[in-house]
Amino acid sequence: MQYFMAVRSLVRMQLRRFFRNRVALFFTFLFPVIFLLIFGSLFKTSAFHFHVAVFNDAKTPYANGLVKEIEKTKGFNVANVDSMSTAKTELGEGQLDSIVVLPPGFGEPDSQGVPAGTAVSYYEQANPQSGQQLSTVLQSILDTTNNHFYHQQKPLKVASEPAQTTNLTEFDYTFSGLLGFSILSLGIFGMANGFATDKANGALRRLRVSPIRASQLVMATAAQYVVVGLLSLALMYFLAVRIFNFHMHGSYLSLIVFAILSIVMIFGFGLTIAGWAKDEKQAAPLANLVGIPMMFLSGSFFPRYLMPEWLQHISGYLPLSPVVDGMRYIVAEGKTLPQVLPQIGLIAAWGVVIYIVAFYVFRWE
């Protein structure tokens, strides 16, 4: 009982000191919020470069020629997708801007021998502006044929329809990466700077001569960072909902439990760096060396599917990758904890390894 009472007292003391530390507050709250506002604003703007999937069900000479025309038109990037269901999944996740379908009979000559038909452009329901832009561009391509034969009635047309997807915006899909970045910023950069400062000013030395054990100090610090981390995520969630109309698709309980596991694991890396470093001069370079690769290779700012395939496989095993992937599955795709067990297992494996290293290299001063 006395052991846990000491831990509780340490948690209170650590929280008071944390909220007085301006550097720690910056990395925990202000830094992630700045990135949230920047990337949120980027993903609210309209894009004029289209990633599309084209399904040519007509197979007519005109349809075949239109597909080639789309592929060589500047501004179109035609993805190689094998099925309509896969295309809809990628459309919902933000990997595609539209799905263009050339239905059977499209491009066949009408009674006057002129190619006719209606192409269908499917767009994400949450992003109708992008669908309208693509339809306009696609119609302009068809009009090169229309204007050759007709001046009033257009035999070749484009119809825009919303696709039945998960109804995600690009921000909904990216928000999980920003949550992962917030945890990374707190657990590595905030922890490394704060703990190293305590070493430099002798605070840990004074704790060492007290009856407090090292395990109690670690447990108290971990509990402190879980509390602060949840506050940071709550702040980002509030801003995402109020400013960017974020839609939560999963369970709040699943998100909280997964966030706690993620914070504890990432905290282990911060503890390892801060426990080994003598002061901030040693801690800062190590924090950058460990944190920056994860920041850019784990999908925090840009989806990992945009990377080369070989890099996707490697980056998938980085400690932050299962955090970002699991967050995305919960908040954007509505999955539950049993459905993200592979991510939880990878988080647990990294947690065991890093805490063994952390206790081995830890030094009080």
Side-chain angles (χ1 to χ4, degrees):
M1 187 64 180
Q2 291 181 347
Y3 181 92
F4 290 103
M5 289 181 66
V7 171
R8 185 179 65 178
S9 299
L10 279 172
V11 170
R12 291 177 178 175
M13 180 189 71
Q14 296 276 39
L15 284 173
R16 285 196 298 268
R17 295 179 59 198
F18 177 85
F19 283 104
R20 294 173 185 170
N21 188 325
R22 295 181 181 179
V23 175
L25 288 175
F26 172 77
F27 279 111
T28 303
F29 295 104
L30 185 58
F31 200 31
V33 166
I34 290 174
F35 275 91
L36 172 68
L37 297 176
I38 292 174
F39 280 87
S41 300
L42 287 176
F43 283 108
K44 286 195 73 174
T45 58
S46 300
F48 293 94
H49 187 82
F50 302 107
H51 296 269
V52 301
V54 179
F55 291 93
N56 183 7
D57 297 331
K59 303 298 183 182
T60 61
Y62 182 82
N64 295 336
L66 178 61
V67 172
K68 294 180 180 179
E69 182 68 22
I70 293 174
E71 290 176 344
K72 69 179 184 180
T73 299
K74 184 178 181 181
F76 279 95
N77 181 14
V78 179
N80 185 15
V81 184
D82 56 0
S83 67
M84 189 66 174
S85 60
T86 302
K88 286 186 176 181
T89 299
E90 294 186 2
L91 180 65
E93 293 177 349
Q95 300 184 40
L96 293 176
D97 296 309
S98 179
I99 303 171
V100 178
V101 177
L102 307 180
F106 178 84
E108 291 184 353
D110 59 12
S111 58
Q112 300 182 24
V114 177
T118 300
V120 182
S121 172
Y122 292 97
Y123 61 88
E124 169 56 52
Q125 295 181 17
N127 191 15
Q129 295 86 357
S130 178
Q132 183 59 47
Q133 291 171 1
L134 187 139
S135 296
T136 301
V137 175
L138 187 57
Q139 184 65 62
S140 68
I141 296 176
L142 297 179
D143 284 345
T144 58
T145 301
N146 290 329
N147 295 335
H148 183 73
F149 294 101
Y150 284 85
H151 294 286
Q152 295 180 348
Q153 187 178 3
K154 297 181 178 180
L156 294 168
K157 302 177 183 178
V158 178
S160 296
E161 295 184 12
Q164 297 298 319
T165 65
T166 54
N167 200 30
L168 297 176
T169 65
E170 289 184 68
F171 179 79
D172 290 342
Y173 194 74
T174 307
F175 181 59
S176 57
L178 298 177
L179 292 179
F181 169 72
S182 178
I183 294 174
L184 176 72
S185 178
L186 166 70
I188 293 184
F189 298 109
M191 172 66 187
N193 282 277
F195 222 67
T197 301
D198 290 341
K199 281 187 179 182
N201 60 28
L204 289 187
R205 191 183 304 113
R206 291 191 293 272
L207 286 175
R208 187 179 185 183
V209 298
S210 67
I212 296 174
R213 304 176 188 175
S215 60
Q216 290 175 316
L217 177 62
V218 171
M219 288 181 61
T221 308
Q224 166 211 344
Y225 274 81
V226 167
V227 172
V228 176
L230 292 177
L231 290 175
S232 175
L233 297 185
L235 174 62
M236 294 188 67
Y237 177 80
F238 174 79
L239 293 176
V241 171
R242 300 292 294 180
I243 299 177
F244 303 109
N245 298 319
F246 171 71
H247 301 285
M248 176 70 173
H249 293 263
S251 163
Y252 289 100
L253 179 60
S254 296
L255 177 61
I256 292 173
V257 173
F258 190 85
I260 291 174
L261 296 175
S262 302
I263 293 170
V264 171
M265 185 270 288
I266 295 295
F267 163 79
F269 285 87
L271 177 66
T272 302
I273 295 170
W276 179 84
K278 295 180 179 179
D279 51 34
E280 305 97 306
K281 293 181 180 180
Q282 284 188 340
L286 282 175
N288 290 331
L289 183 64
V290 174
I292 289 180
M294 288 193 283
M295 187 186 304
F296 290 100
L297 297 178
S298 295
S300 293
F301 302 141
F302 304 101
R304 287 195 296 117
Y305 61 75
L306 297 178
M307 303 176 188
E309 188 173 352
W310 65 268
L311 188 55
Q312 291 183 41
H313 292 305
I314 296 175
S315 63
Y317 292 99
L318 292 175
L320 189 62
S321 293
V323 174
V324 174
D325 291 345
M327 290 279 190
R328 185 186 72 245
Y329 291 145
I330 293 172
V331 305
E333 300 182 19
K335 293 187 177 181
T336 59
L337 288 178
Q339 293 174 303
V340 293
L341 281 180
Q343 286 71 34
I344 293 177
L346 194 53
I347 288 173
W350 269 113
V352 171
V353 171
I354 198 60
Y355 275 98
I356 292 175
V357 176
F359 285 116
Y360 180 77
V361 302
F362 181 83
R363 50 192 181 188
W364 289 88
E365 53 184 276

